[in-house]
Amino acid sequence: MMSFLKVKINKLIKNIDWYLKWVASIILILGICFRSTQQFPALDLMLSFAGCFLWTIVSLMWKDRAMIVLNVVATFVLAMGVVKLIGETV
Protein backbone atom coordinates (compact mmCIF):
# COMPACT_ATOMS: atom_id res chain seq x y z
CA MET A 1 0.00 0.00 0.00
CA MET A 2 2.81 2.39 0.92
CA SER A 3 4.71 1.79 -2.34
CA PHE A 4 1.51 2.40 -4.32
CA LEU A 5 1.12 5.81 -2.68
CA LYS A 6 4.77 6.62 -3.30
CA VAL A 7 4.44 5.81 -7.01
CA LYS A 8 1.23 7.85 -7.22
CA ILE A 9 2.90 10.85 -5.56
CA ASN A 10 5.94 10.56 -7.84
CA LYS A 11 3.68 10.65 -10.88
CA LEU A 12 1.95 13.78 -9.61
CA ILE A 13 5.07 15.65 -8.64
CA LYS A 14 7.43 16.41 -11.50
CA ASN A 15 11.14 16.87 -11.01
CA ILE A 16 12.33 20.39 -10.22
CA ASP A 17 13.90 20.70 -13.67
CA TRP A 18 10.46 20.35 -15.25
CA TYR A 19 9.18 23.37 -13.32
CA LEU A 20 12.37 25.38 -13.88
CA LYS A 21 12.36 24.87 -17.65
CA TRP A 22 8.76 26.01 -17.97
CA VAL A 23 9.22 29.05 -15.73
CA ALA A 24 12.39 29.95 -17.65
CA SER A 25 10.62 29.55 -20.98
CA ILE A 26 7.69 31.74 -19.93
CA ILE A 27 10.07 34.41 -18.64
CA LEU A 28 12.03 34.35 -21.91
CA ILE A 29 8.84 34.60 -23.96
CA LEU A 30 7.79 37.64 -21.92
CA GLY A 31 11.21 39.19 -22.50
CA ILE A 32 10.88 38.63 -26.23
CA CYS A 33 7.42 40.22 -26.19
CA PHE A 34 8.81 43.31 -24.49
CA ARG A 35 11.71 43.36 -26.96
CA SER A 36 9.29 43.42 -29.88
CA THR A 37 7.58 46.57 -28.58
CA GLN A 38 10.94 48.33 -28.02
CA GLN A 39 9.32 50.40 -25.27
CA PHE A 40 10.73 48.67 -22.19
CA PRO A 41 14.34 47.69 -22.94
CA ALA A 42 15.26 47.43 -19.25
CA LEU A 43 12.42 45.00 -18.57
CA ASP A 44 13.40 43.00 -21.65
CA LEU A 45 16.98 42.82 -20.42
CA MET A 46 16.02 41.75 -16.89
CA LEU A 47 13.55 39.09 -18.05
CA SER A 48 15.95 37.71 -20.66
CA PHE A 49 18.72 37.52 -18.06
CA ALA A 50 16.46 35.72 -15.56
CA GLY A 51 15.22 33.26 -18.19
CA CYS A 52 18.72 32.46 -19.46
CA PHE A 53 20.01 32.09 -15.91
CA LEU A 54 17.25 29.58 -15.11
CA TRP A 55 17.97 27.70 -18.34
CA THR A 56 21.63 27.59 -17.31
CA ILE A 57 20.59 25.84 -14.11
CA VAL A 58 18.42 23.38 -16.05
CA SER A 59 21.19 22.64 -18.55
CA LEU A 60 23.61 21.98 -15.67
CA MET A 61 21.07 19.60 -14.12
CA TRP A 62 20.75 17.80 -17.47
CA LYS A 63 24.53 17.85 -18.04
CA ASP A 64 23.92 18.98 -21.64
CA ARG A 65 27.15 20.65 -22.76
CA ALA A 66 25.71 22.46 -25.77
CA MET A 67 22.94 24.00 -23.68
CA ILE A 68 25.42 24.84 -20.93
CA VAL A 69 27.67 26.74 -23.35
CA LEU A 70 24.76 28.55 -24.99
CA ASN A 71 23.08 29.60 -21.77
CA VAL A 72 26.25 30.50 -19.86
CA VAL A 73 27.34 32.78 -22.72
CA ALA A 74 23.85 34.31 -23.04
CA THR A 75 23.62 34.83 -19.27
CA PHE A 76 27.06 36.45 -19.20
CA VAL A 77 26.27 38.81 -22.10
CA LEU A 78 22.92 39.77 -20.60
CA ALA A 79 24.55 40.25 -17.17
CA MET A 80 26.95 42.75 -18.74
CA GLY A 81 23.92 44.57 -20.13
CA VAL A 82 22.28 44.60 -16.70
CA VAL A 83 25.49 45.97 -15.11
CA LYS A 84 25.66 48.68 -17.79
CA LEU A 85 21.99 49.53 -17.25
CA ILE A 86 22.47 49.80 -13.48
CA GLY A 87 25.59 51.95 -14.01
CA GLU A 88 23.64 54.35 -16.22
CA THR A 89 20.81 54.77 -13.71
CA VAL A 90 23.12 55.50 -10.74
Side-chain angles (χ1 to χ4, degrees):
M1 181 68 171
M2 192 62 130
S3 64
F4 173 77
L5 289 175
K6 189 173 183 179
V7 169
K8 197 78 165 160
I9 290 171
N10 284 339
K11 285 185 177 183
L12 293 174
I13 299 175
K14 300 282 184 183
N15 291 333
I16 188 75
D17 62 332
W18 187 88
Y19 294 104
L20 281 177
K21 75 177 181 180
W22 281 106
V23 170
S25 295
I26 291 167
I27 290 171
L28 279 173
I29 290 169
L30 288 172
I32 292 168
C33 290
F34 281 111
R35 185 173 307 142
S36 70
T37 66
Q38 297 181 353
Q39 293 186 5
F40 304 102
L43 191 54
D44 160 36
L45 192 60
M46 298 292 192
L47 289 172
S48 297
F49 170 76
C52 283
F53 180 75
L54 288 175
W55 264 111
T56 299
I57 294 170
V58 172
S59 63
L60 288 168
M61 292 171 78
W62 289 353
K63 297 177 177 81
D64 186 325
R65 291 182 189 143
M67 286 182 62
I68 291 169
V69 170
L70 172 69
N71 288 297
V72 165
V73 170
T75 301
F76 178 75
V77 170
L78 290 165
M80 294 298 102
V82 170
V83 168
K84 181 181 176 194
L85 179 71
I86 291 171
E88 290 174 353
T89 58
V90 173

